[in-house]
Every structure is written in structure tokens, then in C-alpha cells.
Amino acid sequence: MGAFDALGIAASGMGMHQTWLDCLGHNIANVNTAKPTSGPAFQAQMVVAQEVGTGGVRVSGLAKGDPNGRLVFQPDSPLADAKGYVRMPDIDLGSQMSQLIMAQRGFQAQASVVRNAQDVYSAAIGIGKNA
């Protein structure tokens, strides 16, 4: 592993975690998005990560949740069908919040690695200046 490989690996992890955080925020914001039963429900986004051969990770795509969602009885909704149902996303808010904490902690860990690597490289440069 080269001297700057740690920075590249940590940066790739930060990018993946940022994408994960963005998807989770989008899912949480739309957890109560009602749609007519004639169309698909809001589909949750999930990050598909892939290992990079030289170390690190990259986002290889985004997977979508179930378009069928779940039917909820809301007869007062203007989107309700003749039977009073609307289509809601099949998103578990508790799971999304747990994943949000994991993604945030992962991002913080990667940022800590970058910060520590920068400190080590700065100290190494300082040693060369004092010689």
C-alpha cells in the first residue's frame, strides 16, 4: 500500500456513505407520500456498493423498492380510489433511521481516517523541513 492509498480508500468510502445518506434522506422524506392506487407507490432507493480491486468502494448503482407498496385506507384523501384506499411506500421508518445512524457513523469514520492521514503526512513533511 502506497503512502497516499489510505486517502483514496477513505475518500471512496466517504463518497459511498454520502450517497447512502442522500438516499436515506430521500426515503425518509417520502415515507408518507400517498399515491393513487392506479399507479406505483414511491419506491425507496437503496445503494448498491461494490468493492474496488485496489481498495475502497464505489457505488455501482441504486436499487429501487417495491412499486406495489402497501394499500392504506384513507377515504378522506383526494387520491383515494372508490374503496377509499391509497398506495403508500413500503418503507419502514425505524429501519431507515437505523441505517441513517450507520451511514453517518461510517462517514464520520472515513473523515477521521482522512484527517489522521493528513496529520501524519504533515508531520512527515515537517520532519524533512527540520533536517
Side-chain angles (χ1 to χ4, degrees):
M1 181 182 292
F4 293 100
D5 289 343
L7 285 173
I9 292 169
S12 72
M14 285 178 72
M16 188 278 301
H17 281 93
Q18 181 63 55
T19 304
W20 190 14
L21 286 165
D22 292 343
C23 287
L24 290 168
H26 189 64
N27 294 346
I28 291 168
N30 287 286
V31 74
N32 290 320
T33 300
K35 299 277 184 138
T37 56
S38 59
F42 171 82
Q43 294 175 272
Q45 296 177 343
M46 295 158 279
V47 173
V48 179
Q50 181 179 15
E51 176 186 1
V52 177
T54 59
V57 66
R58 71 177 182 89
V59 175
S60 62
L62 296 177
K64 296 273 189 172
D66 185 8
N68 293 324
R70 56 190 169 83
L71 294 179
V72 176
F73 186 67
Q74 288 185 348
D76 296 337
S77 173
L79 300 173
D81 62 10
K83 296 179 182 178
Y85 286 95
V86 294
R87 196 171 298 278
M88 299 293 280
D90 192 18
I91 298 174
D92 178 25
L93 184 59
S95 172
Q96 295 294 300
M97 295 300 289
S98 297
Q99 289 182 49
L100 186 67
I101 292 169
M102 289 188 292
Q104 181 183 19
R105 298 272 168 87
F107 186 89
Q108 289 170 341
Q110 299 298 330
S112 178
V113 168
V114 169
R115 201 170 27 255
N116 290 339
Q118 288 174 335
D119 291 345
V120 168
Y121 298 144
S122 294
I125 290 173
I127 291 170
K129 287 182 180 179
N130 294 331

